[in-house]
Amino acid sequence: MNKFLTKSSPKFQYKNRGSLAGMGFGGGVGDLTNTDFPSPDATMSGLVAFLTWRTTYLTKQLSWSNMMLIPMYWFKALVFGRDISRF
């Protein structure tokens, strides 16, 4: 009965977007090989991968307030170090 009342959803298709990882300040790795993008296959490391990761992270935020606060938190961590206190 249910299949007559509702439309079937489209079949799931996975799209590989690549892999990025930030590793400390100024370091990172990226693997964009075997992606579904029409861009050329590439791997990256170091500062380029780090900046790509940070840019991607910022553009994926859902609210403008997060887009403004996150760079402020990054700057605070750069100047004062990470907060490792426990309450």
Side-chain angles (χ1 to χ4, degrees):
M1 182 69 142
N2 192 24
K3 64 182 174 181
F4 296 114
L5 298 175
T6 61
K7 291 188 256 181
S8 63
S9 60
K11 192 170 185 171
F12 176 76
Q13 184 177 3
Y14 176 73
K15 293 184 180 182
N16 184 11
R17 303 290 187 203
S19 301
L20 287 171
M23 300 182 339
F25 183 74
V29 291
D31 181 21
L32 302 177
T33 57
N34 300 325
T35 61
D36 295 327
F37 292 133
S39 63
D41 293 344
T43 58
M44 63 183 97
S45 63
L47 186 61
V48 173
F50 176 75
L51 293 176
T52 304
W53 167 246
R54 290 273 172 117
T55 304
T56 304
Y57 187 80
L58 278 178
T59 58
K60 294 295 182 183
Q61 297 305 311
L62 298 177
S63 69
W64 286 103
S65 63
N66 280 349
M67 286 185 188
M68 299 302 282
L69 286 173
I70 289 173
M72 290 181 197
Y73 293 145
W74 288 341
F75 179 74
K76 184 180 83 168
L78 177 66
V79 172
F80 299 111
R82 290 178 50 200
D83 183 15
I84 59 171
S85 63
R86 291 185 172 202
F87 297 123

